[in-house]
Amino acid sequence: MEQLSDEEKRVLIHKGTERPFSGKYTNEKSSGTYTCKICDTPLYKSNDKFDSNCGWPSFDDAIEGAVKRIPDADGRRVEIVCATCGAHLGHVFEGEGLTPKNTRHCVNSISIKLDKTPDAKDSSMSYAYFAGGCFWGVEYYLEKLDGVKEVHSGFMGGHVKNPGYYEVVAGNTGHLEAVEVVYDKSKISYEQIAKTFFEIHDPTQVDGQGPDIGSQYLSAVFVNNEDEKNTIRKLIAQLKANGFDVATKILNKQEFYKADESHQNYYKKKGSLPYCHGYKKRFKM
């Protein structure tokens, strides 16, 4: 307690609130566990953090038993505190419809610490990266392929580190909405996945995808190596021979920033179909 700054005491002990968009974790995308600033109790997993654009870190769930809810005296809001030491965290809101869990833990950055864990990749799997408009639809169809373990929605190709969703859709970061495909190459080839990619979006559209217009929705393949680049070049040549004026860009793979949990498996959670993606045969047998 003695090591807390005056501002930390104001928030953690005297139940104050830090200024919106001023906290260090508001736009944090790193993997790990958020712990209590005072007692180090694990409170939130990074997978439960989402971009609510409210100005404070937002989580739609807490580690079981770690966070205690206390109704404010005026009955208008519900305070959340560390269940171990009672440190003030923020407030919890329900019914806003921001995530499928319909809950938002609005937490002061100054109340928590992030214990980062590396984004370890499964060495037995292969990874491929595609951009074809809204990442929800691309993820939906590629995840259905036999041999694909999982697909992550995120961002690639920009100039801002750890971009937020609203920054990207505003076109301010240079990123494209992209997906990371994790697959077993003993069951499915890179070429098979790439072929499907070209058949679930319109690779001829130059200004976006469907009704989503803007540089963040352009068609592109981010390649890991020359073999992948040659595969994409071959497929584009086949499409052009079939009469398609392909606009898809071939770009070198850059750092992939995974979007927050509210953007993962979006259509599966929603129980509906993509609005601007669908399967259309473009390659001849």
Side-chain angles (χ1 to χ4, degrees), residues 15 68-73 77-81 86 90-92:
K15 305 184 185 300
K68 183 179 179 181
R69 301 187 181 197
I70 304 174
D72 281 355
R77 296 189 301 176
V78 176
E79 180 192 7
I80 45 177
V81 302
H91 289 83
V92 63

Side-chain angles (χ1 to χ4, degrees), residues 144-258:
K144 293 181 175 296
L145 295 176
D146 186 28
V148 169
K149 180 182 178 183
E150 56 187 330
V151 180
H152 303 136
S153 289
F155 317 105
M156 187 175 279
H159 53 79
V160 175
K161 190 173 179 64
N162 293 317
Y165 175 75
Y166 291 102
E167 292 177 284
V168 175
V169 298
N172 297 328
T173 71
H175 290 85
L176 279 70
E177 288 200 10
V179 298
E180 177 182 66
V181 182
V182 185
Y183 67 101
D184 184 345
K185 63 182 179 182
S186 70
K187 296 181 179 178
I188 189 170
S189 68
Y190 176 79
E191 182 171 338
Q192 288 174 298
I193 298 171
K195 270 189 172 182
T196 302
F197 165 72
F198 281 116
E199 295 186 326
I200 62 170
H201 84 296
D202 182 1
T204 69
Q205 188 170 340
V206 298
D207 57 355
Q209 196 62 206
D212 294 328
I213 305 302
S215 59
Q216 67 272 31
Y217 299 117
L218 297 181
S219 174
V221 180
F222 293 91
V223 296
N224 288 290
N225 49 52
E226 285 298 311
D227 286 343
E228 289 185 358
K229 183 180 291 186
N230 290 333
T231 296
I232 300 303
R233 284 173 173 166
K234 182 183 74 172
L235 293 177
I236 289 177
Q238 292 176 11
L239 289 172
K240 288 183 175 179
N242 292 344
F244 297 101
D245 188 10
V246 178
T248 305
K249 297 181 179 181
I250 305 176
L251 304 172
N252 291 327
K253 186 247 177 184
Q254 298 181 38
E255 186 168 3
F256 178 76
Y257 296 101
K258 187 178 178 182

Side-chain angles (χ1 to χ4, degrees), residues 24-204:
K24 65 183 293 186
Y25 296 128
T26 302
N27 296 315
E28 180 64 54
K29 299 295 191 301
S30 301
S31 298
T33 301
Y34 289 86
T35 64
C36 175
K37 175 66 71 68
I38 293 178
C39 69
D40 291 325
T41 294
L43 303 173
Y44 300 99
K45 294 291 187 180
S46 58
N47 286 344
D48 294 315
K49 189 173 186 292
F50 69 97
D51 186 2
S52 68
N53 204 35
C54 71
W56 293 273
S58 298
F59 304 85
D60 65 0
D61 207 350
I63 293 174
E64 187 174 358
V67 175
K68 183 179 179 181
R69 301 187 181 197
I70 304 174
D72 281 355
D74 60 12
R76 295 173 58 189
R77 296 189 301 176
V78 176
E79 180 192 7
I80 45 177
V81 302
C82 172
T84 301
C85 71
H88 175 72
L89 303 176
H91 289 83
V92 63
F93 304 90
E94 296 181 320
E96 297 175 321
L98 297 176
T99 76
K101 292 183 180 179
N102 216 15
T103 300
R104 174 170 63 95
H105 288 243
C106 186
V107 182
N108 293 289
S109 289
I110 206 169
S111 299
I112 53 180
K113 296 183 294 186
L114 174 58
D115 180 13
K116 292 185 180 181
T117 55
D119 290 323
K121 289 192 172 184
D122 187 342
S123 60
S124 68
M125 293 289 119
S126 297
Y127 295 77
Y129 301 88
F130 303 94
C134 177
F135 47 28
W136 297 334
V138 181
E139 175 197 71
Y140 177 85
Y141 283 105
L142 293 186
E143 209 160 39
K144 293 181 175 296
L145 295 176
D146 186 28
V148 169
K149 180 182 178 183
E150 56 187 330
V151 180
H152 303 136
S153 289
F155 317 105
M156 187 175 279
H159 53 79
V160 175
K161 190 173 179 64
N162 293 317
Y165 175 75
Y166 291 102
E167 292 177 284
V168 175
V169 298
N172 297 328
T173 71
H175 290 85
L176 279 70
E177 288 200 10
V179 298
E180 177 182 66
V181 182
V182 185
Y183 67 101
D184 184 345
K185 63 182 179 182
S186 70
K187 296 181 179 178
I188 189 170
S189 68
Y190 176 79
E191 182 171 338
Q192 288 174 298
I193 298 171
K195 270 189 172 182
T196 302
F197 165 72
F198 281 116
E199 295 186 326
I200 62 170
H201 84 296
D202 182 1
T204 69

